Amino acid sequence: MAIVDFHCDVLSKLLRDRELTFQGNKPSVLDVTLDRLKAGHVILQTFAVFISPSRPDYHDMDPILESIDLFYEKILSFPELRIIRTVSDLDACIQDGKIGALLSLEGVGGLRGRLSMLRLLKRLGVRAAGLTWNDANWAADGVMEARSGGLTDQGAAFVQECNRLDIIVDVSHLSERAFWDVASLSSRPIVASHSNARELCDHPRNLTDLQIRAIMDSGGLIGITYVPQFVRAAGDVTIDDVLRHVEHICALGGEKHLALGSDFDGIDRHVQGLSHPGQVVALQEALMKRYSPEQAQGILSGNALSFLRGQLPVN
């Protein structure tokens, strides 16, 4: 079955180590490589631009632009991949047997409130944006910010501009207050690209049942993630533990709103048997034991493709 993955952090590793290549000449370093995407039957991978807070230029545009340059030079340089900007791109990519590459932002600190930078990034191919990482910036507070604030006025303007530009708003790292600000403000569906159910694993990065329902009500998507500490609070984490989150969201009525958001290359330990895209077949097999082929295919890729066809620009 075909796979769509809404989140990985390959670009962050490429930014940190310019010797790395997407062919995986250091396979112990990169989770996601071209060969592994092929082996896992991945038809679309979202590549996030994440700038580490440890960088001295964390609040600048330079590392964002450098990351996008790496996306073009080290990812899209392979003829097997094709950037997804529009629905037409998506359809052509599937028809031609290519792997789609969607570009997203994980934190907009470097834009410094300038909506002109967002418009330029759209021209460079950005199609989704999360306002912040776990900290606070000019737009919003992240989930680990102690004050737990919401959107700023500039953040609200950013969400509205994303809506106007057909850029998908990603709520995965937002504080709860900021989440609800976005949910009430956005005129378009919202996504949590890599988050699980807090009812099963009480971590701030996971979603409450109310948040899950709000995403569903918006027509959005929730990308089930393989981050071990978001799957299970302690102990070894297995694929069965991941499926518990799928089952919980399905029980809330979210079957059509489920997708995958691995967070490969953004994690330093893995779910057992789920350490790179080539192993997602094990998750597929586990899903097939619990759900119909149609349901399993929806979670693995169908829901995500339907969502993107409704949210990306047509041409």
Side-chain angles (χ1 to χ4, degrees):
M1 289 186 174
I3 303 294
V4 172
D5 184 350
F6 255 75
H7 190 89
C8 81
D9 282 307
V10 170
L11 295 178
S12 179
K13 285 186 175 178
L14 294 178
L15 183 65
R16 187 166 63 244
D17 183 353
R18 302 304 177 94
E19 298 301 314
L20 292 175
T21 75
F22 194 54
Q23 284 180 311
N25 58 349
K26 296 182 181 179
S28 63
V29 177
L30 287 180
D31 298 338
V32 179
T33 65
L34 177 57
D35 289 343
R36 287 173 170 175
L37 289 177
K38 291 179 179 178
H41 305 289
V42 177
I43 60 169
L44 189 148
Q45 176 68 62
T46 296
F47 293 86
V49 174
F50 168 67
I51 311 304
S52 172
S54 65
R55 290 180 61 102
D57 55 0
Y58 175 51
H59 293 295
D60 295 338
M61 277 295 295
D62 287 357
I64 293 175
L65 295 175
E66 289 173 18
S67 297
I68 294 174
D69 181 63
L70 288 166
F71 174 70
Y72 279 91
E73 294 298 313
K74 291 200 170 188
I75 306 293
L76 295 179
S77 57
F78 292 97
E80 294 93 335
L81 285 107
R82 176 172 180 166
I83 189 170
I84 303 299
R85 299 171 182 261
T86 65
V87 175
S88 296
D89 290 336
L90 179 61
D91 291 340
C93 186
I94 293 172
Q95 181 177 342
D96 296 341
K98 304 288 188 180
I99 300 171
L102 192 76
L103 189 60
S104 72
L105 295 178
E106 187 173 21
V108 299
L111 281 65
R112 298 187 181 182
R114 296 167 293 181
L115 298 183
S116 59
M117 296 298 101
L118 178 64
R119 293 188 286 272
L120 289 173
L121 291 176
K122 184 191 175 181
R123 294 184 177 100
L124 291 176
V126 170
R127 290 298 180 267
L131 280 74
T132 186
W133 189 57
N134 291 336
D135 55 358
N137 61 20
W138 57 266
D141 277 11
V143 295
M144 304 308 289
E145 188 67 32
R147 66 183 175 181
S148 300
L151 290 183
T152 64
D153 288 345
Q154 286 182 307
F158 180 88
V159 171
Q160 292 172 323
E161 187 69 353
C162 284
N163 288 169
R164 189 183 74 83
L165 295 172
D166 297 333
I167 292 176
I168 299 161
V169 179
D170 187 347
V171 298
S172 266
H173 280 275
L174 288 174
S175 70
E176 282 199 52
R177 181 175 172 186
F179 171 96
W180 290 112
D181 286 347
V182 170
S184 64
L185 177 65
S186 180
S187 60
R188 300 178 67 87
I190 56 178
V191 304
S193 62
H194 54 307
S195 295
N196 290 339
R198 197 180 302 179
E199 184 71 18
L200 299 183
C201 181
D202 190 14
H203 191 287
R205 275 279 285 102
N206 284 339
L207 301 164
T208 67
D209 286 358
L210 285 175
Q211 289 175 307
I212 291 168
R213 288 191 174 99
I215 293 171
M216 291 160 44
D217 289 344
S218 81
L221 278 183
I222 299 157
I224 293 294
T225 190
Y226 318 150
V227 182
Q229 59 267 37
F230 302 168
V231 177
R232 182 175 173 178
D236 294 333
V237 183
T238 69
I239 288 174
D240 283 343
D241 293 318
V242 175
L243 290 182
R244 290 173 60 236
H245 291 268
V246 171
E247 291 164 357
H248 180 79
I249 294 172
C250 283
L252 295 175
E255 176 190 327
K256 299 294 186 182
H257 301 274
L258 276 168
L260 302 179
S262 68
D263 209 7
F264 283 142
D265 288 302
I267 48 181
D268 54 14
R269 64 186 185 95
H270 299 85
V271 173
Q272 291 180 0
L274 200 55
S275 60
H276 61 74
Q279 294 183 341
V280 177
V281 64
L283 176 61
Q284 172 188 315
E285 291 171 352
L287 280 167
M288 288 290 291
K289 292 177 181 178
R290 293 165 171 81
Y291 299 95
S292 71
E294 294 76 18
Q295 289 171 315
Q297 188 63 83
I299 295 165
L300 294 169
S301 63
N303 296 338
L305 294 176
S306 295
F307 175 80
L308 290 171
R309 287 191 174 104
Q311 299 307 310
L312 291 173
V314 176
N315 295 301

